[in-house]
Amino acid sequence: MSIRYRKVQDSRTSSKNFGQWYGRAIIMDEVSTKQLADEISHSTTVTYTDVLAVLSEISASIKSHLQNSEKVVLDGLGSFRVGISTKPAPTSAEFDSSKISGYHIIYAPERKFTATGINTEGKRTGYYVKQLLDGITAKETPKNDVVETATEPAA
């Protein structure tokens, strides 16, 4: 399995990369809760109805914990917490909940550290891999309507 991408050209005239090409990940399809429940039920001993009930309830449960100012951690997936956007106040005493202008969900994917060795200071070296992206590859989408043109070197 591979993620799909398409080629896009930077058309922003104010960009330092104007005219250059880069890749953009694209969505090929969508998977519903019912489809996930069906897949999970076929790979476990749990019935489709039971899986669907759990998946449906997880949304309400996560919502309840987030609204109670708790971080929700789903092993293998990551964590969710609430963030807020606020308007400034001249003093601490003047800041209250009326200054909150919006709420948003902050998602942090689970990641694992892959050690590569020890540096000269005796500290371990390595890199983090997001669990959901471990082993990912990319493939150009088959429906790419970009016409290849060679760029001539500047004189």
Side-chain angles (χ1 to χ4, degrees):
M1 289 193 270
S2 299
I3 63 157
R4 302 296 179 141
Y5 69 90
R6 65 182 162 117
K7 297 175 188 176
V8 292
Q9 189 174 31
D10 187 345
S11 59
R12 301 169 298 169
T13 54
S14 62
S15 171
K16 67 177 181 176
N17 295 320
F18 175 74
Q20 302 227 0
W21 291 87
Y22 56 98
R24 177 172 294 153
I26 63 166
I27 303 299
M28 298 290 285
D29 205 352
E30 184 176 293
V31 178
S32 71
T33 302
K34 290 181 179 183
Q35 289 170 303
L36 284 175
D38 188 50
E39 287 179 22
I40 293 168
S41 71
H42 284 93
S43 62
T44 65
T45 59
V46 183
T47 68
Y48 167 81
T49 308
D50 291 338
V51 174
L52 188 59
V54 170
L55 289 176
S56 297
E57 187 58 32
I58 197 167
S59 175
S61 187
I62 289 174
K63 178 180 177 180
S64 172
H65 287 284
L66 291 176
Q67 290 184 1
N68 198 31
S69 205
E70 297 173 326
K71 179 165 93 171
V72 177
V73 179
L74 298 177
D75 296 339
L77 190 61
S79 65
F80 301 85
R81 63 187 172 93
V82 175
I84 59 174
S85 300
T86 63
K87 297 175 187 165
T91 66
S92 173
E94 293 177 72
F95 187 89
D96 61 17
S97 63
S98 70
K99 300 289 187 198
I100 296 173
S101 58
Y103 303 91
H104 53 274
I105 302 293
I106 299 170
Y107 166 68
E110 182 177 299
R111 54 191 197 147
K112 73 175 183 182
F113 185 76
T114 302
T116 57
I118 307 280
N119 66 16
T120 56
E121 299 168 358
K123 298 180 180 175
R124 69 183 186 160
T125 59
Y127 57 93
Y128 284 94
V129 176
K130 294 178 176 86
Q131 291 290 84
L132 293 175
L133 299 179
D134 193 15
I136 196 168
T137 60
K139 183 189 281 187
E140 186 175 351
T141 183
K143 293 182 180 181
N144 200 337
D145 58 359
V146 172
V147 178
E148 294 290 331
T149 57
T151 57
E152 295 185 25

